[in-house]
Amino acid sequence: MTVETPPARAQLIRIETDRRLGHEWDEWDGKPLPGGGDFSAQPGLFFRFAAVTIAAAMGAGAAVVFLLAPRLADVWPALPHAVWLALGAASAITWLWFGVLLLSFYGRARLLPEAWLERGPYLGLMSLTSFVARPFGKRDWVEHAAIDVYNALAERRRRTVGKGELLVLIPRCLSKEALDGVLTIAGRYEVPVFVATRGQLARRVIRERRPRAVVAVACERDMTTGLRDVAGKLPVLGLTMRLPNGPCRDAMLDLDTMERWVKTWVGL
Ligand code: SF4
């Protein structure tokens, strides 16, 4: 009797690196994140920093016009006056728009189409405000508040899509518990889930799958750039995470919110 030896199997060797930081966290010093990695903040924090951002941008514009005025006058004597008028008009329109944004958010009214509000100039304001918040050490909280405002405005549009038209994008840093929860929800509503290890990859998945809407999960830093790049072209709801073990590892998320969004969007 011959004894059959089982066919040789390749051995899979996993090399686990301790943590692979996304470039948004390059400057992390390895210390625990404040508040256990929970950057929840009131929307008012974003609006205050946004007002400072707009004022700073207008001030910078005025300084440039002031400095260039003599040169502009050399080109055409009335040019400085015309540029001041244009800057004044731009300033008035921007503050008026900001007032409408406040009214839309706090008054729960849809005063402007989405392309003129949360999927339009708002995305630019969100990014600029993030830069202004950084020297004050408030970046993550301001971004969190900005994303909350964006989501609230986007949710009120009451959009629905088909099951196959919604995509869930998750990062590589979810904890096992969070990942299991996401997969259960996605399975329940028959929605495809993709792990996007980088923003570039997320954009590629969107280009190839052509969804009509996306529920994206990421930290505040990644979400701010992701929304800026994608939300103008495609409806997105962005779920931020808690980072109890520091960035890019073991991230937790609010599964109830994710289920509510998926359920609403697939119209169940
Ligand atoms: S989403 Fe996760 S992996 Fe990506 S930068 Fe944020 S914490 Fe790191």
Side-chain angles (χ1 to χ4, degrees), residues 20-25 171-173 197 217-219 222 241 243 247-249:
R20 197 153 43 93
L21 283 181
H23 77 276
E24 297 287 353
W25 289 96
R172 61 184 158 78
C173 59
T197 47
V217 180
C219 63
D222 228 18
M241 317 180 294
L243 303 169
C248 309
R249 190 176 168 179

Side-chain angles (χ1 to χ4, degrees), residues 144-159:
H144 185 106
I147 294 163
D148 278 355
V149 170
Y150 165 85
N151 284 328
L153 295 169
E155 254 196 289
R156 286 182 208 152
R157 302 287 172 185
R158 303 207 174 283
R159 182 183 295 277

Side-chain angles (χ1 to χ4, degrees), residues 37-109:
D38 181 350
F39 297 107
S40 299
Q42 291 300 314
L45 180 70
F46 165 69
F47 286 122
R48 285 195 293 281
F49 269 93
V52 171
T53 302
I54 294 173
M58 295 307 164
V64 170
V65 176
F66 179 76
L67 290 173
L68 290 183
R71 303 261 167 140
L72 295 175
D74 287 344
V75 178
W76 179 41
L79 194 54
H81 186 66
V83 175
W84 278 118
L85 273 180
L87 187 70
S91 174
I93 291 168
T94 306
W95 285 114
L96 187 67
W97 176 86
F98 189 62
V100 173
L101 171 67
L102 285 168
L103 264 178
S104 304
F105 179 74
Y106 288 109
R108 306 182 73 80

Side-chain angles (χ1 to χ4, degrees), residues 104-105 108-110 114 117-119 147-160 214-215 235-239 254 256-265:
S104 304
F105 179 74
R108 306 182 73 80
R110 282 181 281 177
E114 55 191 335
L117 202 64
E118 75 273 12
R119 292 182 57 208
I147 294 163
D148 278 355
V149 170
Y150 165 85
N151 284 328
L153 295 169
E155 254 196 289
R156 286 182 208 152
R157 302 287 172 185
R158 303 207 174 283
R159 182 183 295 277
T160 56
V214 171
V215 171
V236 182
L237 285 174
L239 187 58
D254 181 348
D256 291 340
T257 302
M258 163 156 272
E259 178 150 18
R260 191 183 79 236
W261 287 353
V262 171
K263 192 174 169 181
T264 314
W265 264 6

